[in-house]
Amino acid sequence: MNDNKPAMDSRRALPSVDALLQRMAAAVERWGHDQASRAVRDALAGIRHQLDQGLAAEISADAIRRRAEDALLAGDQPTLRPVLNLTGTVLHTNLGRALLPAEAVAAMAAVATSPSTLEFDLDAGERGERDSHVEALICELAGTEAATVVNNNAAAVFLVLNTLALGGEVPTSRGELVEIGGSFRVPEIMARSGCRLVEIGTTNRTHLKDYAAAIGERTALLMRVHTSNYRIEGFTHAVDAKALAALARERGLPFVVDMGSGSLVDFTALGLPDEPTVAATVAEGADVVTFSGDKLLGGPQCGIIAGHRALIERIRKNPLKRALRLDKMTLAALAEVLKLYRNPATLCEKLPTLRLLTRPLADIEAQAQRLLPQVASALAPRFQVAAVPCRSQIGSGALPVETVPSAALEITPAQGGDGELRQLAEALRHLPVPVLGRISNGRLLLDLRCLETEDVFVRQLAPLRERLQ
Ligand SMILES: *Cc1c(COP(=O)(O)O)cnc(C)c1O
């Protein structure tokens, strides 16, 4: 065992870096000489180590070349890449939230690859305003006088508070001090934006008189935060938006609503759970509203601020607006997504978020039946597969309690338990297009609501079968 003479011989017999590179002309051309030689050197070092440890016998030059090429390929794989979202959460924050429609993607590509009118007014022949590409569309859909856009809704809330409440107090209901996804927390955003949160009411009940009593000389605005991702039930009371707007008006304060998701269409008309629309919130008297571009709206990541012209002008002039502004590709995508809202008849078919949320149950069930035998045969005999009803979540904190009926493939290990399931989940995650499901109660569920590229899924069943052997 300690006789490593054969290993020494094998080490001496290893081909040189140059000899290996000569066998890898295509790889050298694709990745360049430096990267390719680094990969070859790493492969050789790995093999020498294995020989030293007695873990390998002689290794052919071809095997070393393959090892180097595999490493080059693996290193070339982007870490940010497409997956199949079978988690059952349609707007999954960790998986990139809303998917863009083809119109938006084309518009992004056009401005990415050509000079554009980003800040150029063709009629006047002079410098233009970048918000101009979306402002009129937002105003039309939200029913406001003016609008501006920033990097995301967290930035929108921050910029609004930093502009309208810097150094002042903002009375906010204890029932609305939300945390969204771990890093957006209302009290912290308020502190960082330079205003002082004045907590009012209680977790479950806050009354108009609580707001009225909290208003003083230093009060900068009244704020309402949509409790996007949780619901308080039972003995509760929140102040009606109209009453809060009236109080704000009476005291000469702006009334700001962070809507979170904010929908531009009536969700109940689409057979979905109710979510306040931006236009309704504005009609109830909100002076400024903020909402996300990539939640229920179904657009690119951005934050939209809409409201009275004088307030929006002040927000736009905040020097931090520059630090939070949108890039040209996001603006181009947002404009296209907003335009789709002008034609309600085609909206649900063209906008992926709404298409997935309104996908007919019968379609998903038929897909489950279609895929069942193929998946069952790929996973046999280690796993059993059944088509079962399930419920999809909307996600991104939108509509946390309500779910929509869907269909899933339910996979259970023939023997063993969670270890088997974890291995299966890992194999699915390491497919060329990773497949993400959810494990619950001793089974892996693949919710098919968001599987629009069935062929991509089916093509991976053979590699999956191999991985599980
Ligand atoms: C989601 C959400 C935010 C944060 O929005 P992002 O676009 O993720 O930055 C802020 N407030 C509320 C109420 C939300 O639901």
Side-chain angles (χ1 to χ4, degrees), residues 134-334:
V134 291
E135 183 172 17
L137 278 162
I138 298 169
C139 292
E140 177 187 323
L141 297 163
T144 57
E145 290 172 358
T148 185
V149 278
V150 287
N151 181 56
N152 55 16
N153 188 36
V157 174
F158 172 81
L159 192 65
V160 168
L161 291 172
N162 182 265
T163 309
L164 304 180
L166 186 64
E169 292 177 353
V170 179
T172 309
S173 165
R174 289 194 170 90
E176 297 177 4
L177 301 179
V178 298
E179 171 182 302
I180 313 273
S183 53
F184 178 89
R185 307 173 98 190
V186 169
E188 287 168 14
I189 287 276
M190 287 203 173
R192 290 285 173 150
S193 53
C195 59
R196 204 167 81 75
L197 164 66
V198 177
E199 293 185 21
I200 61 166
T202 60
T203 307
N204 56 330
R205 288 171 72 84
T206 300
H207 305 272
L208 192 63
K209 62 176 194 279
D210 296 324
Y211 286 94
I215 296 175
E217 264 177 24
R218 291 168 168 270
T219 306
L221 52 84
L222 293 188
M223 171 110 182
R224 152 150 296 171
V225 182
H226 183 51
T227 54
S228 304
N229 54 2
Y230 75 104
R231 196 135 306 165
I232 297 178
E233 284 174 355
F235 186 56
T236 64
H237 183 76
V239 179
D240 172 66
K242 275 194 190 132
L244 209 47
L247 176 65
R249 207 172 316 120
E250 190 190 304
R251 304 293 183 96
L253 298 169
F255 176 39
V256 174
V257 180
D258 171 14
M259 300 195 64
S261 204
S263 168
L264 293 178
V265 286
D266 178 4
F267 262 47
T268 55
L270 305 176
L272 291 168
D274 196 14
E275 172 80 13
T277 68
V278 176
T281 303
V282 169
E284 281 174 347
D287 298 309
V288 172
V289 294
T290 72
F291 51 101
S292 289
D294 57 352
K295 290 186 181 173
L296 289 174
L297 184 78
Q301 178 194 306
C302 62
I304 298 173
I305 307 171
H308 291 312
R309 180 165 306 286
L311 296 173
I312 298 293
E313 281 307 329
R314 281 174 60 196
I315 292 163
R316 198 179 270 143
K317 288 202 182 99
N318 185 327
L320 284 170
K321 167 69 175 16
R322 167 67 186 248
L324 303 172
R325 74 184 185 183
L326 284 195
D327 71 288
K328 60 194 177 183
M329 289 174 288
T330 307
L331 275 169
L334 179 61

